[in-house]
Amino acid sequence: MSRPTVHLPRLIAHRGLSAHAPENTLTAVRAAHAEGCGWVELDVQLLGDGTPVIWHDKGVRRCSNGRGKLANMELPRARALDVGAWFGRNFAGERLATLDEMLALADELGLGLNLELKVHRGRDPQALVATALPRALDALPPERLIVSSFHPEALEAARALQPAGDALHLGILHEKPPKEWRRSAEALKAFSLHVDWRRLKEKRAREIKAAGYALLCYTPNDPVAFATQWDWGVDSAISDDPGLFTHYLPEAEPPDGAGTVIVR
Ligand code: G3P
Ligand code: MG
């Protein structure tokens, strides 16, 4: 496995500061930065015309004023959507962000990025990696980028494109890490495992940490309920509302380095 060079913060803002701004938007990322978050998690996928954009769902219905699948949409149509008004009147007029715009913003703000390669059923993981990964690697230094995915083929393609463990920190997403979690972690030279915090068991958490991997949990929003997971050695929580955790963080920083985020 790669030696960790990422200085993980305790808290990562999930889809930007998605409790307080429309998820996966430039505004949500600015809001995370304004709250004191040093890292954000964002989802990337391709439009039908091949443009990489920051978006979670397969379609646009939940988070915009339009309808349709990303796979059937070209950039002008996607850009005509209002992706803020669904969340609140103050956010009306927000436009769907391209990956390039988001990377430029992360660079400008000095943010770390956990970029999730989101592969919905029927979409091509290879095309997503071939398009999105070189842009991300160009835009951000390796210590401020983790590329993660649930999709094994996307992770394999990413590693094939950048074989050096230290040049690309890969995160494997699991709802629940399987017994044989090590196999893929070793094969992919993974940096981290990202696990649904409600499905993580102490034994598995301690095993992952003892093997030298970073361990991140998504998506806790209750800092009291999450206290036990810190005790198990979890490095970072990917939360919609990191500010809730301010007074509930372990005193020690994540073991692989400095950089605990102070969320005001
Ligand atoms: O990357 C962690 C988390 O975002 C995975 O689930 O559905 O929120 O993308 P989802
Ligand atoms: Mg995600």
Side-chain angles (χ1 to χ4, degrees):
M1 61 169 287
S2 65
R3 295 267 47 93
T5 54
V6 172
H7 290 190
L8 277 173
R10 284 294 185 198
L11 300 167
I12 296 176
H14 182 239
R15 308 183 194 171
L17 198 68
S18 58
H20 301 286
E23 64 181 57
N24 278 319
T25 61
L26 298 165
T27 297
V29 170
R30 287 192 192 281
H33 178 257
E35 275 251 320
C37 287
W39 277 68
V40 293
E41 185 268 0
L42 300 167
D43 306 290
V44 65
Q45 43 182 321
L46 298 183
L47 292 175
D49 65 6
T51 310
V53 294
I54 303 300
W55 199 254
H56 179 275
D57 294 359
K58 187 168 188 159
V60 298
R61 189 170 174 172
R62 182 176 63 88
C63 296
S64 83
N65 61 345
R67 288 190 179 200
K69 295 190 173 121
L70 253 66
N72 301 330
M73 212 170 271
E74 296 180 350
L75 188 59
R77 193 173 142 215
R79 292 289 251 186
L81 298 168
D82 184 316
V83 302
W86 70 275
F87 190 85
R89 256 182 302 172
N90 293 350
F91 300 98
E94 181 84 28
R95 296 294 147 202
L96 178 141
T98 64
L99 173 64
D100 290 344
E101 283 174 330
M102 197 56 96
L103 290 170
L105 181 61
D107 185 38
E108 176 196 321
L109 300 178
L111 289 172
L113 173 61
N114 169 11
L115 185 64
E116 184 188 341
L117 302 165
K118 185 60 87 186
V119 186
H120 289 287
R121 197 183 297 271
R123 303 304 308 275
D124 179 359
Q126 304 277 350
L128 176 60
V129 170
T131 309
L133 187 60
R135 295 171 194 234
L137 288 170
D138 274 358
L140 297 175
E143 64 273 16
R144 284 203 282 120
L145 179 68
I146 297 174
V147 173
S148 58
S149 189
F150 285 106
H151 203 282
E153 230 183 294
L155 290 165
E156 281 158 26
R159 180 52 77 213
L161 206 137
Q162 177 45 269
D166 286 350
L168 170 59
H169 294 99
L170 276 183
I172 304 178
L173 274 156
H174 289 293
E175 283 177 9
K176 180 179 180 188
K179 229 190 253 163
E180 61 284 4
W181 63 270
R182 278 169 203 268
R183 203 181 305 154
S184 58
E186 285 171 12
L188 289 162
K189 290 188 253 171
F191 165 73
S192 50
L193 277 83
H194 307 195
V195 178
D196 183 335
W197 76 282
R198 295 160 305 184
R199 313 279 310 267
L200 182 65
K201 297 279 189 288
E202 177 173 5
K203 179 169 173 270
R204 190 71 78 231
R206 294 198 186 276
E207 236 174 66
I208 291 167
K209 288 309 301 169
Y213 295 93
L215 179 57
L216 288 70
C217 281
Y218 64 90
T219 313
N221 291 315
D222 178 345
V224 176
F226 195 69
T228 318
Q229 276 74 5
W230 294 127
D231 291 343
W232 298 345
V234 168
D235 295 293
S236 305
I238 307 171
S239 173
D240 298 324
D241 201 353
L244 296 175
F245 288 73
T246 307
H247 302 296
Y248 298 89
L249 293 177
E251 278 179 19
E253 290 183 345
D256 63 325
T260 300
V261 171
I262 310 295
V263 178
R264 284 176 289 274

